Amino acid sequence: MNFLGILLFPFTLIYDLVTRFRNYLYNSGYKRSFEFEANVIAVGNLSVGGTGKSPMVEYLIRLLNHKKIVTLSRGYGRATRGFRLAGKDDSPKTIGDEPYQFFNKFKNIHVAVGEQRAVAIPFILAELPETEVILLDDAFQHRPVKPSLNILLTDYNKPFFKDFILPSGRLRESRKGARRADMIVVTKCPEQVDFEYYESQIRRYNDRAPIAFTSIQYMKPEAISGKEAFNPEVFLFSGIANPAPLKAYVSSQYRLAGEHYFRDHHRYRTEDIQMLTKAFEGSEGAKCLLTTEKDMVKLLPFIKEGHFKGIPVFYLPIETVFMKGGRRFDETVLNSLKAYSY
């Protein structure tokens, strides 16, 4: 814990008491958690910030592609409220960044958003009665819903067992919250991992859940603007929680001629596009703009309106790849599914 964390520690104690009391109310049954007939798989984390939830949800979509799937997210940063089932007129502004990414990428699923997941799920089952699996995105702390499978993610570089509760650290609740997990996945792992150390530390808080390790695999850059082929002289930009791994990868594979990073969930404006265009043109040797898939979906309206003045713009698709425990992870997910007759 750094010096600022020590100064904020009294507030951390208050936050800890509040979250512990809230969890006690649910664990004791005083506050009710609702179960549903459909399979509900929750993906979440103990900390704030990115731990790779969206790539994990996408992995589950591919794994369960034989099922009728609906993703359900809060829809962080959207301009709408309440339950909403994504349709052709929706955008990142109406349903949020990650939900729109799912909607734009997977045509064989339905995508829904709703702040109160326990309220949204009955709406889903009423409007889409053939739903077999509901994937809850970022729902580990959403106690009103009791999932059939609870998957906890933790970042290799910022594991929950080394972190502290807000505001001294980044944890939304005590490390002991990990005991609710049915599976624990260590994400964003480097090539060399001390599996034994991480497993031993995690087992201090959960002695039953299978543990798996994943890394992010960057795919071939794909074009979203311009007709030119990809050129490795790139100007990199993004609006994600932690751009460091992205920058490290791009720097190792291409020549980084320029860079600019926005805050997580940044909502792009015309001024941003103008700034990026000017920065690209002023950089030394940059031949194309490169960004993330998460940013790409928010740039599509600008692309359609003819922005970027013909500058080639590419994005890097990513996928979750298991380094250890992948087979057991798949088996646990598939074995958790109950038959759903409709």
Side-chain angles (χ1 to χ4, degrees):
M1 188 183 298
N2 58 27
F3 180 70
L4 180 60
I6 295 173
L7 289 179
L8 295 173
F9 192 69
F11 300 99
T12 293
L13 292 176
I14 295 172
Y15 189 92
D16 184 28
L17 286 173
V18 171
T19 55
R20 284 177 186 269
F21 182 66
R22 177 178 182 270
N23 282 325
Y24 168 77
L25 293 178
Y26 281 104
N27 295 338
S28 64
Y30 186 83
K31 295 190 75 170
R32 184 179 176 187
S33 295
F34 293 91
E35 294 185 74
F36 297 90
E37 187 175 358
N39 299 286
V40 177
I41 300 176
V43 176
N45 51 350
L46 289 178
S47 64
V48 297
T51 54
K53 293 184 294 295
S54 295
M56 178 55 69
V57 171
E58 292 189 3
Y59 180 90
L60 291 169
I61 292 172
R62 295 186 182 97
L63 177 66
L64 303 172
N65 62 1
H66 59 294
K67 298 292 184 180
K68 296 178 175 62
I69 299 172
V70 179
T71 66
L72 175 57
S73 310
R74 171 184 163 194
Y76 180 83
R78 62 186 172 123
T80 60
R81 294 186 62 82
F83 175 75
R84 189 179 184 95
L85 194 61
K88 61 182 180 62
D89 296 325
D90 278 300
S91 67
K93 185 176 181 179
T94 60
I95 61 175
D97 301 344
E98 288 88 354
Y100 188 75
Q101 181 176 318
F102 303 148
F103 180 73
N104 185 67
K105 191 170 187 176
F106 299 98
K107 305 305 179 184
N108 60 331
I109 69 168
H110 290 279
V111 174
V113 292
E115 297 87 351
Q116 301 299 322
R117 261 62 72 92
V119 175
I121 290 176
F123 277 108
I124 290 173
L125 298 179
E127 295 197 28
L128 302 168
E130 295 186 354
T131 300
E132 294 175 283
V133 180
I134 297 174
L135 299 178
L136 297 184
D137 182 23
D138 195 12
F140 198 76
Q141 283 75 38
H142 197 79
R143 300 299 303 274
V145 174
K146 185 177 181 180
S148 47
L149 187 69
N150 215 358
I151 302 174
L152 174 66
L153 308 184
T154 187
D155 189 327
Y156 175 89
N157 299 295
K158 300 174 182 177
F160 73 86
F161 55 78
K162 287 186 177 181
D163 209 344
F164 300 93
I165 297 172
L166 290 166
S168 295
R170 301 168 65 253
L171 296 183
R172 300 173 177 177
E173 60 174 302
S174 164
R175 301 174 186 178
K176 293 181 179 180
R179 70 181 61 168
R180 298 198 306 275
D182 300 308
M183 296 200 67
I184 299 176
V185 182
V186 182
T187 64
K188 302 182 180 181
C189 294
E191 292 184 5
Q192 301 297 323
V193 178
D194 188 345
F195 297 117
E196 185 176 345
Y197 169 73
Y198 274 73
E199 289 171 352
S200 66
Q201 294 300 308
I202 290 171
R203 286 289 176 236
R204 295 170 58 192
Y205 303 97
N206 187 314
D207 60 2
R208 62 178 181 83
I211 302 171
F213 295 80
T214 68
S215 63
I216 292 296
Q217 178 174 306
Y218 291 93
M219 315 300 285
K220 181 180 177 181
E222 296 188 13
I224 56 175
S225 176
K227 298 180 180 179
E228 295 86 345
F230 177 75
N231 189 300
E233 307 274 334
V234 303
F235 186 102
L236 178 66
F237 71 97
S238 69
I240 57 179
N242 179 19
L246 171 69
K247 178 181 177 180
Y249 173 79
V250 171
S251 299
S252 70
Q253 300 295 314
Y254 316 116
R255 191 183 85 82
L256 190 58
E259 58 191 299
H260 185 86
Y261 305 106
F262 299 95
R263 295 181 63 181
D264 192 24
H265 292 284
H266 179 72
R267 186 69 57 210
Y268 287 92
R269 303 167 299 172
T270 301
E271 306 91 275
D272 299 321
I273 308 304
Q274 293 171 344
M275 181 274 293
L276 288 170
T277 300
K278 185 176 181 180
F280 170 82
E281 293 172 344
S283 63
E284 186 175 343
K287 297 295 190 295
C288 64
L289 286 166
L290 182 64
T291 191
T292 70
E293 189 169 9
K294 178 179 174 180
D295 292 282
M296 177 271 292
V297 296
K298 293 182 283 187
L299 295 172
L300 291 177
F302 298 98
I303 299 294
K304 292 177 181 177
E305 293 172 4
H307 290 271
F308 289 109
K309 300 179 181 179
I311 296 173
V313 184
F314 290 78
Y315 74 94
L316 277 173
I318 60 174
E319 289 185 2
T320 289
V321 178
F322 280 86
M323 301 176 67
K324 183 180 180 182
R327 178 177 295 180
R328 188 173 184 186
F329 178 91
D330 291 355
E331 290 175 349
T332 301
V333 172
L334 294 172
N335 291 338
S336 75
L337 301 182
K338 55 191 176 184
Y340 180 38
S341 57
Y342 45 82

